[in-house]
Amino acid sequence: MHAGKPAILMLSRGIESRYHLAAVIDRNIWVRQDYIEPGYAGRPFVMWTATDRYHGKAAPGPLRWVVVQP
């Protein structure tokens, strides 16, 4: 609300299974699951952290690979 735009809610599998926030809070969601597209939120996501262990030439350490839906 401070920025004048709705926040994106990041939901882990554990938090979602415990509280079912994706069904309760009307916000865009960001989910995490290594390599396989997650379905645990029960609805479409806008962002997905596919891995935070990707290695490439762009950085000396691991990179976070995030998929963004159009």
Side-chain angles (χ1 to χ4, degrees), residues 4-52:
K5 297 179 182 178
I8 297 173
L9 185 62
M10 181 183 238
L11 299 172
S12 68
R13 181 181 297 278
I15 292 294
E16 180 57 21
S17 68
R18 186 174 202 167
Y19 299 107
H20 309 287
L21 296 175
V24 178
I25 299 175
D26 186 26
R27 292 282 184 265
N28 288 326
I29 55 175
W30 182 348
V31 292
R32 298 182 55 115
Q33 182 168 308
D34 283 344
Y35 307 109
I36 299 171
E37 186 174 326
Y40 64 81
R43 64 184 177 95
F45 57 85
V46 295
M47 295 178 75
W48 159 36
T49 300
T51 184
D52 54 8

